[in-house]
Amino acid sequence: MTVDVSEMQAFRDSARDFLARDDHGERIRALIAGDGGVDRDFWRRIADAGWPALLVPEEQGGLGLGLAEAVAIAEEIGRSYIAEPVLPVAVQAVSLLRRLPGGALRDELLGGIADGSRLVGMAWQRRPGQIRAEAAASARADGDAWVLAAEYMGVAPLRSADGWLALANDGGAPMLVWLPAGQAGISIQPQRRLDGAEAGTLVLSSCRIAAAQVLARGGEVLEWLDAALDTTRIAQAAQLLGVARRAFDATLEYMNVRVQFGKPI
């Protein structure tokens, strides 16, 4: 893969300018003090900036760009400490959806993410420390539908999500399904995070899944999910690099003005 360094810098500069317009610390404190969730007004502005559309194919209304551009933006997100689920939605969910076979539901979800109207999360982690996809949640066939009872950890977004891509097991075959928020049999257990971001546990109790909600079935589902997770980890590494650079810059600035025993340190 050839990376255009000047283009990456342009995306980085654009993201930095966009994020510099607001006091994100104040917004995060308000989110923590309230009931959590996503600031939808700010998410709309993020969508207007094109971030959710970055990896979405052009055929579904996206920009059709790649990981290099996503990494450039992720680094600036780390610098600015915003709580909105840009990586879970715009990188993780999109990276999985774009690998799936074409279909009306898939295309609808990608289009909704691209234009900012849908916040889509992923439900795949069943136990602490799990880093690879495992279709451990067994769905019971019931006529032309399935019934699923399972708990998924570390789901983000949660309270504000319009729905989730959930990994299940249909008689030994991995299955990826769409769970719209508000569907019968779904409940959430939010967990407050120090950075203001929302996450928690998604609980399914006798949740009935229609055939139209199935996005993909078969062994390739695990491969596609693992590939999406690896892509997201690269973006997360860039975000953490941004956090580290912000911390370094703040420390250096302080050291340049700190005086100890009458002398600059």
Side-chain angles (χ1 to χ4, degrees):
M1 180 181 69
T2 302
V3 176
D4 187 329
V5 176
S6 62
E7 185 173 315
M8 281 190 66
Q9 187 61 49
F11 273 92
R12 187 178 291 113
D13 292 344
S14 174
R16 186 175 301 182
D17 290 343
F18 172 80
L19 292 168
R21 299 171 193 167
D22 293 88
D23 182 350
H24 301 292
E26 188 64 32
R27 283 195 320 103
I28 290 174
R29 283 189 287 273
L31 287 172
I32 293 173
D35 60 357
V38 172
D39 182 342
R40 285 280 186 164
D41 290 337
F42 189 64
W43 186 260
R44 169 53 58 189
R45 291 172 54 196
I46 288 175
D48 290 342
W51 295 0
L54 201 68
L55 301 180
V56 175
E58 293 182 56
E59 294 80 4
Q60 284 78 45
L63 299 177
L65 297 174
L67 182 57
E69 292 81 8
V71 161
I73 290 173
E75 183 180 341
E76 293 308 314
I77 289 173
R79 277 182 178 270
S80 296
Y81 306 131
I82 68 170
E84 281 66 31
V86 177
L87 268 58
V89 177
V91 178
Q92 185 169 249
V94 171
S95 293
L96 177 56
L97 284 167
R98 65 186 293 180
R99 288 178 165 87
L100 302 182
L105 178 56
R106 166 192 176 266
D107 292 349
E108 177 188 339
L109 293 174
L110 282 169
I113 292 173
D115 66 21
S117 62
R118 282 186 184 264
L119 283 173
V120 176
M122 281 175 44
W124 64 277
Q125 209 167 15
R126 299 292 314 285
R127 54 183 174 76
Q130 181 184 346
I131 62 172
R132 288 297 175 190
E134 301 172 5
S138 296
R140 174 175 55 84
D142 184 19
D144 59 353
W146 293 265
V147 177
L148 181 59
E151 292 189 9
Y152 299 92
M153 306 172 57
V155 178
L158 189 68
R159 190 194 304 273
S160 301
D162 296 298
W164 303 272
L165 308 174
L167 180 62
N169 181 336
D170 173 25
M175 177 170 66
L176 187 71
V177 302
W178 167 243
L179 301 174
Q183 178 172 334
I186 297 179
S187 61
I188 61 173
Q189 297 174 356
Q191 296 170 343
R192 187 181 298 274
R193 286 176 37 166
L194 292 176
D195 62 358
E198 63 165 7
T201 300
L202 183 71
V203 181
L204 308 183
S205 178
S206 299
C207 183
R208 187 174 179 82
I209 300 166
Q213 293 174 249
V214 178
L215 286 157
R217 295 180 65 212
E220 288 181 313
V221 169
L222 298 183
E223 297 175 17
W224 294 329
L225 178 52
D226 276 333
L229 294 175
D230 287 341
T231 298
T232 307
R233 289 175 184 127
I234 294 172
Q236 285 177 325
Q239 182 180 14
L240 292 174
L241 176 61
V243 172
R245 285 183 169 169
R246 172 69 178 268
F248 176 82
D249 291 344
T251 302
L252 183 61
E253 181 182 2
Y254 175 75
M255 291 178 66
N256 284 331
V257 299
R258 179 76 169 97
V259 175
Q260 185 74 31
F261 302 115
K263 296 182 179 180
I265 64 171

